[in-house]
Amino acid sequence: MRSGFLKCFWTALYCAQYMMKEGAGNVALSYFWSREFLTNRYFLWLLFWCNAVGTVYGYIWYGEQMKLTLAEQPVWQIVFVPDSPTASLFFTLALLWVLYPPRSIIIKRIGHVIQALAVVTSVKYGVWAVSIIFAGWMQGGTQHWQDWMLIASHSAMAIEALIYVRFSASAGLPLSLQVSGRC
């Protein structure tokens, strides 16, 4: 877990150094909302690895519940157990589609479905998890450090999906980003 965070941190640092070398100088805060920054290959790779690490951690988090579901419920119900890690997996795959755009029309269409699932599920489970944690506290539940980690990570899921959905193509296909060719 720690090495995944460090990879993300060093990638972000490298991306910032690259931007400074390119003459960015004093960067306005609005630059970090721009298409140029958000579709930068280094930044997309940072998001990819952060989401990939979060996905793996999420499936580990749900491990015992998945075993219990397999033991006591019909097998088809297993896909509904790890909801947030699956949303994160969709977003990770969507980023991979952006980083390596397929040439086949069929594969592109599959990618559009994955991108749509990434946006919808990331927002749904991001907002849902944070709401449930706060609702539990409002009913007298105790606070744990894991709650704060879940609030941060699930909020990030929803926010990143909402930020990247604005790059939809005119055809209305989610997350159809055009990666800047500078990096």
Side-chain angles (χ1 to χ4, degrees):
M1 175 73 178
R2 176 176 249 172
S3 65
F5 172 76
L6 290 175
K7 284 180 187 176
C8 292
F9 174 77
W10 289 116
T11 304
L13 186 62
Y14 180 76
C15 188
Q17 287 176 331
Y18 175 80
M19 289 187 302
M20 291 305 207
K21 285 181 188 175
E22 291 295 312
N26 293 332
V27 178
L29 187 58
S30 62
Y31 175 74
F32 295 103
W33 294 102
S34 69
R35 176 181 293 271
E36 181 182 2
F37 177 76
L38 293 172
T39 60
N40 178 290
R41 287 189 71 82
Y42 292 116
F43 188 70
L44 290 172
W45 275 114
L46 171 69
L47 282 180
F48 174 84
W49 285 112
C50 289
N51 278 282
V53 168
T55 299
V56 170
Y57 181 77
Y59 281 111
I60 292 169
W61 178 278
Y62 278 99
E64 290 302 316
Q65 190 176 350
M66 289 169 50
K67 288 178 189 173
L68 185 67
T69 301
L70 283 174
E72 298 180 4
Q73 302 296 328
V75 175
W76 65 269
Q77 292 181 350
I78 193 71
V79 297
F80 299 105
V81 174
D83 47 14
S84 294
T86 303
S88 179
L89 177 64
F90 286 142
F91 200 84
T92 304
L93 292 173
L95 288 170
L96 197 59
W97 246 271
V98 171
L99 288 163
Y100 297 103
R103 293 188 178 142
S104 165
I105 292 175
I106 294 171
I107 302 298
K108 281 183 184 180
R109 292 202 177 159
I110 292 169
H112 293 311
V113 170
I114 289 174
Q115 292 168 354
L117 287 169
V119 171
V120 171
T121 59
S122 292
V123 171
K124 178 187 187 281
Y125 292 116
V127 172
W128 175 82
V130 172
S131 301
I132 292 300
I133 291 169
F134 282 121
W137 290 348
M138 297 281 291
Q139 294 179 359
T142 57
Q143 295 182 13
H144 302 284
W145 70 268
Q146 294 100 333
D147 295 341
W148 292 106
M149 180 268 302
L150 290 169
I151 288 170
S153 62
H154 285 77
S155 296
M157 280 174 56
I159 291 167
E160 75 182 353
L162 292 173
I163 287 172
Y164 278 93
V165 75
R166 73 187 178 118
F167 297 118
S168 298
S170 59
L173 301 171
L175 202 62
S176 295
L177 302 176
Q178 297 188 0
V179 178
S180 62
R182 288 184 38 183
C183 296

